[in-house]
Amino acid sequence: EIVLTQSPGTLSLSPGERATLSCRASQSVSSSYLAWYQQKPGQAPRLLIYGASSRATGIPDRFSGSGSGTDFTLTISRLEPEDFAVYYCQQYGSSPQAFGQGTKVEIK
Amino acid sequence: EVQLVQSGAEVKKPGESLKISCKGSGYSFTSYWIGWVRQMPGKGLEWMGIIYPGDSDTRYSPSFQGQVTISADKSISTAYLQWSSLKASDTAMYYCALVRGPRPHDAFDIWGQGTMVTVSS
């Protein structure tokens, strides 16, 4: 069973700054089957990135994903006010699928 | 428009049974996997399992195997999550979500609005 560990737990940044979120897997994630989701309070999660680096439909290009094997990164190039939220990674390459514990991006 | 619409909030007592629903529309319901995700109050997302409504092939996380039942009725394009005997620790928001491709190993790209289940004596 693959365990995903996200870091940091909380990221305090200002609008316009760059955010770098990490997701580390306990074993290699096959075929880069790694997704990133954004969740705002009171809302369902929203898919941002799939296949480690492909943006989902309608996702702005300030969001980018990278990585392979056991180390993956979500980068938000310039934070907009609406980007302050919790972000989760998910591996879907092997069963059982699993989410990381989340990283909260908060306004500094 | 592809949508998943979930049933409303539930308040139940420990030991009671419950079945919540997730109705799909705007796509071929039998051709895509649907999953269920738990989110306990103030906590992260937990992958519970997925079902392929076309043939009811179901996969569970070991953490939820035997604790819940995932099913689907393709005649009414609806997936279900049910409990036979609820516990207080089942209190959570439950989301259904559509797998983006035709295989089980893919991301969830469409989510329902969530169903809040509260179990309290």
Side-chain angles (χ1 to χ4, degrees):
Chain A
E1 180 171 336
I2 296 178
V3 176
L4 300 178
T5 302
Q6 293 186 238
S7 61
T10 302
L11 200 50
S12 298
L13 295 167
S14 301
E17 290 193 294
R18 181 184 188 90
T20 303
L21 288 66
S22 172
C23 176
R24 180 161 291 176
S26 59
Q27 304 169 45
S28 183
V29 176
S30 61
S31 304
S32 294
Y33 285 161
L34 193 287
W36 290 92
Y37 300 85
Q38 176 194 68
Q39 188 179 33
K40 298 178 181 178
Q43 296 185 17
R46 177 174 72 144
L47 177 64
L48 300 175
I49 300 288
Y50 64 91
S53 60
S54 297
R55 271 188 300 278
T57 302
I59 301 304
D61 60 7
R62 64 180 181 274
F63 291 93
S64 63
S66 62
S68 62
T70 60
D71 288 295
F72 299 88
T73 301
L74 174 70
T75 302
I76 311 171
S77 59
R78 287 178 56 85
L79 282 163
E80 297 287 342
E82 62 267 28
D83 298 337
F84 292 90
V86 179
Y87 293 83
Y88 296 94
C89 58
Q90 178 208 9
Q91 75 80 17
Y92 51 88
S94 60
S95 295
Q97 299 183 25
F99 291 94
Q101 82 280 16
T103 289
K104 182 179 182 180
V105 179
E106 65 175 23
I107 300 176
K108 187 174 182 179
Chain B
E1 179 193 6
V2 177
Q3 281 191 98
L4 296 175
V5 178
Q6 298 185 231
S7 49
E10 301 274 2
V11 179
K12 292 289 192 179
K13 290 182 166 41
E16 291 186 330
S17 63
L18 176 64
K19 192 174 190 177
I20 62 175
S21 67
C22 170
K23 183 173 176 61
S25 62
Y27 71 100
S28 174
F29 183 76
T30 55
S31 300
Y32 293 88
W33 294 77
I34 290 180
W36 287 94
V37 175
R38 183 175 79 175
Q39 187 167 39
M40 300 176 76
K43 302 299 184 183
L45 306 174
E46 298 174 89
W47 190 89
M48 301 177 72
I50 52 174
I51 186 166
Y52 188 73
D55 62 6
S56 292
D57 184 5
T58 308
R59 321 277 174 91
Y60 291 94
S61 165
S63 299
F64 292 94
Q65 178 89 47
Q67 308 305 307
V68 297
T69 301
I70 295 171
S71 61
D73 184 341
K74 57 188 179 184
S75 70
I76 55 171
S77 301
T78 301
Y80 299 98
L81 179 65
Q82 68 181 90
W83 296 259
S84 58
S85 181
L86 287 159
K87 301 184 282 287
S89 57
D90 293 317
T91 294
M93 180 72 82
Y94 293 89
Y95 293 101
C96 64
L98 189 62
V99 175
R100 62 177 293 277
R103 301 172 304 153
H105 296 289
D106 214 327
F108 292 130
D109 66 345
I110 303 294
W111 292 67
Q113 82 277 20
T115 296
M116 184 66 207
V117 174
T118 303
V119 184
S120 175
S121 54

